[in-house]
Amino acid sequence: MNYIWLFLIITSFIFAAINATMADVVDAMLKSSQQAVLVAFSLIGIMSFWLGIVKIAKTSGLIKTFSKIIAPLMQIVFKDIKKDSDAFSNIALNFSANALGLANAATPFGIKAMQDLQKENIKDKETATNSMCTLLAMNTAGFQLVPTSVLAVLSAAGAHNPAEIILPVLIVTTISFFSAIIISKTLEKVF
């Protein structure tokens, strides 16, 4: 990927030199860098807020309650996980963080859930279990109720109504989430 970016940058400078538009390229670089910093700072606030909410939910036991509520559904999806497994609460945390649009917060919970699933993997430590593959598919599909990061970026970029993307994002991520589960479960039977 780095080579692609390097190629694009070098190519843009070559064409800017050929077309005598180097000043425009440098100006665009400076403006884009400034915009990137503004977007990053605007993300800090919203990410801190939602990460705090997730931390409070975890500390107060709300996540444990949520995990108990979704446990019957999780046991349908993850049939080979023991009922008292720590993986369920980490999967619930991962799912909650993804649903709130906090992919950065979801990643550590997903990694911890994978580690818990690996502990239960007694057949072959070198091969992912069906539950691991399903979790990976679900996490990659990234179901989102509130696309927090996208809303923050749109807001920082000056969008007039960033909330108008919530319904389309909900529809698309719901379809991709259930498609990931269905495909994972179908391939589970094949392989």
Side-chain angles (χ1 to χ4, degrees):
M1 190 67 171
N2 291 336
Y3 294 117
I4 293 171
W5 284 111
L6 182 64
F7 171 76
L8 291 172
I9 291 168
I10 290 172
T11 304
S12 66
F13 279 116
I14 291 171
F15 279 99
I18 292 170
N19 294 320
T21 57
M22 190 63 78
D24 293 337
V25 171
V26 172
D27 187 48
M29 272 185 0
L30 293 174
K31 285 181 181 177
S32 297
S33 299
Q34 182 182 19
Q35 185 67 23
V37 170
L38 291 173
V39 169
F41 276 119
S42 68
L43 284 172
I44 290 171
I46 195 132
M47 293 295 278
S48 298
F49 172 76
W50 283 111
L51 288 172
I53 294 294
V54 169
K55 180 71 172 169
I56 290 168
K58 187 176 181 183
T59 304
S60 68
L62 190 61
I63 296 295
K64 288 274 188 197
T65 304
F66 179 68
S67 340
K68 287 179 184 174
I69 291 170
I70 65 169
L73 294 172
M74 291 289 184
Q75 288 176 344
I76 292 169
V77 175
F78 299 102
K79 292 179 181 176
D80 53 341
I81 300 177
K82 299 173 189 169
K83 289 184 180 185
D84 60 340
S85 174
D86 290 336
F88 279 125
S89 63
N90 286 312
I91 290 170
L93 281 166
N94 177 269
F95 180 75
S96 300
N98 267 330
L100 294 174
L102 302 170
N104 294 340
T107 301
F109 299 130
I111 291 170
K112 183 68 176 128
M114 282 292 191
Q115 289 171 342
D116 293 339
L117 293 172
Q118 181 64 7
K119 287 178 191 171
E120 294 181 18
N121 183 4
I122 54 176
K123 292 180 184 176
D124 181 9
K125 295 286 186 184
E126 298 297 316
T127 304
T129 64
N130 291 333
S131 292
M132 291 170 136
C133 293
T134 302
L135 175 61
L136 182 62
M138 287 171 52
N139 197 31
T140 304
F143 171 75
Q144 292 186 0
L145 287 172
V146 182
T148 307
S149 300
V150 176
L151 289 172
V153 169
L154 287 173
S155 184
H160 296 292
N161 187 10
E164 68 188 1
I165 65 152
I166 292 176
L167 182 61
V169 167
L170 179 62
I171 292 168
V172 169
T173 59
T174 301
I175 291 169
S176 68
F177 182 75
F178 285 111
S179 297
I181 293 172
I182 291 166
I183 291 169
S184 175
K185 291 300 175 185
T186 303
L187 291 176
E188 182 178 300
K189 293 174 184 169
V190 174
F191 296 101

